Structures are given as C-alpha cells and as structure tokens.
Amino acid sequence: DAKTTQPPSMDCAEGRAANLPCNHSTISGNEYVYWYRQIHSQGPQYIIHGLKNNETNEMASLIITEDRKSSTLILPHATLRDTAVYYCIVRGEYGNKLVFGAGTILRVKS
Amino acid sequence: DTGVSQNPRHKITKRGQNVTFRCDPISEHNRLYWYRQTLGQGPEFLTYFQNEAQLEKSRLLSDRFSAERPKGSFSTLEIQRTEQGDSAMYLCASSPRGPNTEAFFGQGTRLTVV
C-alpha cells in the first residue's frame, strides 16, 4: 500500500470549513484513499473513502486531484467535537489491513 | 448495540502475568483485525482473520502473543508473560466480505502492565 504524508497539526475556527490535505504520490491505479479520525481515548471512526471521483457524505467531502497524487478532506462546518486526529490511508481494492501513519491533529477552536 | 464490542475496557496486570482480551465483531462481518496503539502513535496492525483463518500476522506479534477466532465469530488476543512494553491500547476492527469495504473499530482495551 502506498505511503501518505500529512501535516502534523492544524487549527480551525469553529463554524469554518476544515481542509485537511494528504499527499499520496505513489498511489497506484487500484488503490483507494480512506479517511478515519480518532477522538481522544476512542477507537478510530470511518469518515469517507474514494478512488478518483470526489465523494460526499453526511460527515465530509473528499476531493481527489486528477492525477490522484493528493487529496483533501473537507469538514464543511467544523465544530468543537471535530477535534481529533485525522488519518489518511491508501488501501488496495482487495486490501486487508489499514496502515495508519501519524495523522493530523485537528484542533477546532471557538 | 450492533457495533464492535471489546472486553474488558481496561486491564491492569503485573509484569509476568498472562492476559486475554475479547472482541465481538459486527454480526456477519467475516473479517476481523487486531491493532495496538501506544500514546501519540497511530494504530499498528497486529493480525487479521478471514472467518476462522488467521491470514496475516505482523512481525510485531511476538511469540508471547496469540490470537484466535475459533468459530469465525468472536476473537481473543492473549499476551503471555506480559512486559511493561506491552502497555498500550489494543483495538479490534471488523469489516464485511467483498472489496472496498470500510472497517469499524471497537473502543479498545487499555492494558497497563505494572
């Protein structure tokens, strides 16, 4: 599975959009981009995943560049409860394990 | 509650003792994963089951660690002769069969070895 690079931390004002970047320059054609988050002392929570088209669900939007070498997770209206570590993971279509990096600590501030 | 369930939530044990953790996956999820997480780090993969078959084990899983999933439903993770370095959060996840499926995690078991 390809490696990912994320900034170690980011701040966001409450009510504003949080845009979390992820680089995955070695991604291959059949690998998906997954996003999880982990709130303190809880297990990781699935957010969204995509292959090449932009995806949106009730939690977030995922924007994948045309060359698929990077992506951005967008939380449209961040709240204090969105403060967490966000992990960007690349995984094959039939991949089994998720390989977590260090993630990005997102701090939402009032 | 239909989520992944892990027991116990917390365990304190003395060095050298054996401990066992249990994971109950989401019903009908045939894939089950164990991870370990230490403070400030992302979860590290330990092992993976498809039904009752253990298909992958990390090099992190030393001889003191053993995992089972005897009937393809719940799973246990045993650590023998615990060491202080085993102190961590142990996470279990499950996912349904098929490609491109998301994994759902439990709340974890926090182990402290004193």
Side-chain angles (χ1 to χ4, degrees), chain A residues 15-33:
Chain A
R16 305 297 293 267
N19 297 287
L20 292 97
C22 179
N23 286 323
H24 30 79
S25 58
T26 61
I27 193 169
S28 60
N30 65 345
E31 290 183 319
Y32 286 72
V33 180

Side-chain angles (χ1 to χ4, degrees), chain A residues 36 38 49 91 93 97-98, chain B residues 35 37 48 56 100-101 103:
Chain A
Y36 280 75
Q38 189 172 25
H49 72 281
R91 182 192 192 198
E93 182 180 17
K97 61 181 181 285
L98 295 162
Chain B
Y35 287 80
Q37 186 173 27
Y48 155 69
E56 188 172 354
N100 189 26
T101 57

Side-chain angles (χ1 to χ4, degrees), chain B residues 17-100:
Chain B
Q17 297 295 304
N18 300 342
V19 294
T20 300
F21 311 140
R22 177 177 171 126
C23 172
D24 287 272
I26 294 172
S27 180
E28 298 182 357
H29 278 193
N30 71 326
R31 298 176 184 173
L32 187 147
Y33 313 80
W34 285 99
Y35 287 80
R36 180 175 69 186
Q37 186 173 27
T38 53
L39 202 61
Q41 305 295 316
E44 297 173 294
F45 170 78
L46 291 178
T47 190
Y48 155 69
F49 289 86
Q50 185 163 297
N51 300 312
E52 65 276 9
Q54 189 174 19
L55 297 186
E56 188 172 354
K57 290 169 59 174
S58 164
R59 284 173 290 181
L60 293 173
L61 216 63
S62 75
D63 291 344
R64 298 184 297 105
F65 288 69
S66 63
E68 293 183 344
R69 194 182 183 198
K71 298 182 180 179
S73 57
F74 74 91
S75 175
T76 58
L77 177 68
E78 181 183 17
I79 308 174
Q80 296 182 327
R81 305 180 304 280
T82 52
E83 302 172 355
Q84 286 190 320
D86 297 330
S87 294
M89 174 78 84
Y90 290 84
L91 293 159
C92 176
S94 70
S95 66
R97 68 178 67 248
N100 189 26

Side-chain angles (χ1 to χ4, degrees), chain A residues 10-86:
Chain A
M10 293 181 63
D11 290 339
C12 177
E14 188 178 20
R16 305 297 293 267
N19 297 287
L20 292 97
C22 179
N23 286 323
H24 30 79
S25 58
T26 61
I27 193 169
S28 60
N30 65 345
E31 290 183 319
Y32 286 72
V33 180
Y34 282 75
W35 284 84
Y36 280 75
R37 73 179 183 184
Q38 189 172 25
I39 296 169
H40 183 63
S41 296
Q42 296 185 20
Q45 177 190 23
Y46 167 80
I47 302 173
I48 199 167
H49 72 281
L51 181 63
K52 54 184 177 182
N53 298 320
N54 298 337
E55 301 286 345
T56 296
N57 64 18
E58 65 278 4
M59 288 183 69
S61 295
L62 174 60
I63 309 298
I64 302 174
T65 58
E66 191 168 346
D67 63 8
R68 303 208 323 121
K69 293 185 176 182
S70 65
S71 61
T72 301
L73 179 74
I74 301 173
L75 307 178
H77 305 287
T79 71
L80 297 178
R81 288 178 295 180
D82 291 322
T83 293
V85 180
Y86 287 77

